[in-house]
Amino acid sequence: MQLADFIAGSVGGAFGVAVGHPLDTVKVKMQTQRKFTGVWQCIRSTYRTEGMYGFYKGMSMPITTVSVSSSVVFGTYRNALQVFHQLSYKSADAPSAKLHIFLSGLAGGIAQVSVMSPADIVKVRLQCQTEPYEGSDLKARPKYRGPMHCLFTIAREEGVLGLYRGAGALALRDGPSFATYFLVYNTVCEWLSPDNNSQAVGKKTDWKVVMFAGGLSGMCGWCIGTPMDVIKARLQTDGMDKRRYRGLFHCVRESVRIEGPGVLFKGLVLNCIRAFPVNMAVFVMYELVLSLIRTES
């Protein structure tokens, strides 16, 4: 087992959350609340009613659990890739097949759903809860007073399975998304390597390549994952007031019927803008921590 990959993945994931959470909040609000007509209108409205704190609501839960979920993604990816490599090649230096990279990324994305789903629904519900900041004239009392209160409230009102509402959409988002993510990262690194050798995750030394490949892979991953991201967010917020969707397919059907096919790409531009710096940071920290661990060992 590649323990170093689990450790490096956890550090990289936590760093990525800190970088990208404000834009993630804007994206979630636009996907789930029809009152927002554009990015800047959502940003202005959030700042006016909630202050700067409004952009960081729900961050404490993912930043404490993303270490585990990112560890699972990167660790599963590397271990699955190693198994494929051992089954297919005699030489340890042989480059991994693109199909193996894709399938390993798919396994990593799906594997983290069991860990990520409860934290993700808490994050989304806190982000969508309009809570006035201190000093505001608004006196509305929020339903959820914080991450743990939100977690226990969902479990009490909707049962433990309520914490996994939208988990199917999350798996359909993260499986293909991470498969694309790792495939693009490895392919771009291979193209830009001076020695033209395959550089699988965990073997980088050129930081400019790491930064560009990481940012681009994140954008490509979100291009694949955004439709299910929209459905996931809607299923997760369903139940905050009244229940509208009977399940994943009903949510897709109703969303498209009412708002048109374009609804499935709500937040795509924001996802791509956010993805570049976030995933650049994730891979830089991942490769840095991995190189430090391997140097000391």
Side-chain angles (χ1 to χ4, degrees):
M1 179 177 289
Q2 301 281 343
L3 180 60
D5 290 280
F6 284 93
I7 297 172
S10 69
V11 175
F15 197 74
V17 169
V19 171
H21 194 80
L23 281 180
D24 182 66
T25 297
V26 176
K27 180 262 298 184
V28 168
K29 287 190 173 188
M30 290 188 63
Q31 288 177 336
T32 58
Q33 300 176 28
R34 297 175 193 168
K35 65 180 180 180
F36 298 120
T37 57
V39 174
W40 292 112
Q41 188 252 342
C42 181
I43 291 173
R44 286 195 302 270
S45 177
T46 299
Y47 181 76
R48 185 173 62 250
T49 58
E50 304 168 60
M52 283 301 297
Y53 166 73
F55 296 101
Y56 292 92
K57 287 195 304 185
M59 190 175 77
S60 59
M61 179 63 77
I63 209 167
T64 53
T65 57
V66 76
S67 296
V68 179
S69 62
S70 292
S71 171
V72 170
V73 170
F74 279 86
T76 301
Y77 165 78
R78 286 285 290 159
N79 282 281
L81 193 61
Q82 187 178 42
V83 170
F84 280 127
H85 198 279
Q86 290 173 346
L87 292 174
S88 304
Y89 306 108
K90 293 181 180 180
S91 172
D93 296 326
S96 297
K98 295 294 188 289
L99 177 60
H100 295 166
I101 293 172
F102 184 87
L103 292 176
S104 298
L106 183 72
I110 294 174
Q112 62 130 21
V113 171
S114 61
V115 177
M116 185 180 176
S117 188
D120 195 58
I121 192 171
V122 169
K123 173 187 75 73
V124 168
R125 290 204 178 184
L126 288 175
Q127 286 173 322
C128 292
Q129 178 175 261
T130 304
E131 179 182 350
Y133 66 99
E134 188 176 352
S136 171
D137 293 332
L138 300 175
K139 302 297 182 182
R141 184 176 180 180
K143 179 177 181 178
Y144 306 119
R145 298 193 296 271
M148 296 309 297
H149 181 257
C150 180
L151 186 76
F152 288 122
T153 299
I154 294 172
R156 185 180 67 252
E157 293 181 352
E158 304 171 45
V160 175
L161 290 180
L163 296 171
Y164 289 89
R165 186 179 302 280
L170 183 61
L172 289 174
R173 182 197 76 174
D174 284 352
S177 179
F178 275 105
T180 304
Y181 182 64
F182 285 112
L183 180 60
V184 171
Y185 182 73
N186 279 272
T187 301
V188 172
C189 286
E190 183 179 318
W191 287 346
L192 298 180
S193 299
D195 56 2
N196 200 32
N197 289 327
S198 176
Q199 294 191 356
V201 174
K203 299 181 180 179
K204 307 297 175 299
T205 54
D206 189 336
W207 295 108
K208 294 189 294 293
V209 173
V210 172
M211 293 168 69
F212 178 73
L216 185 61
S217 66
M219 292 176 71
C220 292
W222 276 113
C223 286
I224 299 297
T226 292
M228 277 298 111
D229 187 52
V230 174
I231 301 305
K232 172 198 72 76
R234 293 189 171 203
L235 288 172
Q236 288 174 329
T237 55
D238 195 36
M240 287 183 70
D241 41 31
K242 61 180 181 179
R243 189 65 51 79
R244 290 178 294 174
Y245 307 119
R246 296 192 296 272
L248 191 152
F249 294 108
H250 182 250
C251 181
V252 173
R253 189 167 61 250
E254 286 299 293
S255 296
V256 171
R257 183 181 65 81
I258 295 172
E259 301 173 63
V263 69
L264 297 176
F265 295 94
K266 262 191 173 182
L268 175 60
V269 174
L270 262 181
N271 274 336
C272 288
I273 292 173
R274 182 177 65 95
F276 198 93
V278 167
N279 291 284
M280 181 176 69
V282 168
F283 272 109
V284 165
M285 290 303 296
Y286 173 80
E287 300 286 358
L288 180 61
V289 172
L290 205 57
S291 64
L292 290 173
I293 293 173
R294 288 176 176 173
T295 298
E296 292 182 1
S297 61

